[in-house]
Amino acid sequence: MVQTRDGGTRTVAVQRGVVTAVDGGGGMTVKSADGFTLNWTFGDGLRVVERGRTIPSSDVEVGTELGVAGAKAGDSTTARLIVVPVRK
């Protein structure tokens, strides 16, 4: 959990893994090396960065290795930052 500007708290999720499914540009499923799988929704203000430059979220495809971070509320996880270190 992290503290928000208004004094509340928010749960932040961070994951590194491979994209196993993409939901028409509105989200993705990521599987970590240990087998943990999480569904991410693409949130407002999402930033996708590859090698230091911003790219469109539509460039995220099945098989892409990445790191993702965002807010978790209940069963919903919303991506705010995706980092694609190197495409193979």
Side-chain angles (χ1 to χ4, degrees):
M1 287 192 158
V2 295
Q3 189 167 1
T4 61
R5 291 181 184 166
D6 64 2
T9 59
R10 176 178 291 172
T11 301
V12 175
V14 178
Q15 184 181 21
R16 184 173 181 174
V18 177
V19 177
T20 59
V22 176
D23 177 19
M28 66 184 174
T29 302
V30 177
K31 184 175 183 179
S32 300
D34 65 359
F36 176 75
T37 300
L38 190 59
N39 295 319
W40 293 85
T41 301
F42 294 164
D44 293 336
L46 171 64
R47 184 164 180 224
V48 183
V49 179
E50 180 180 30
R51 294 185 183 185
R53 66 180 181 89
T54 301
I55 62 171
S57 60
S58 59
D59 284 1
V60 175
E61 307 172 322
V62 171
T64 302
E65 291 184 34
L66 50 71
V68 57
K72 181 149 181 70
D75 292 336
S76 176
T77 311
T78 305
R80 294 297 308 252
L81 175 65
I82 296 172
V83 177
V84 181
V86 177
R87 288 195 192 245
K88 292 183 178 182

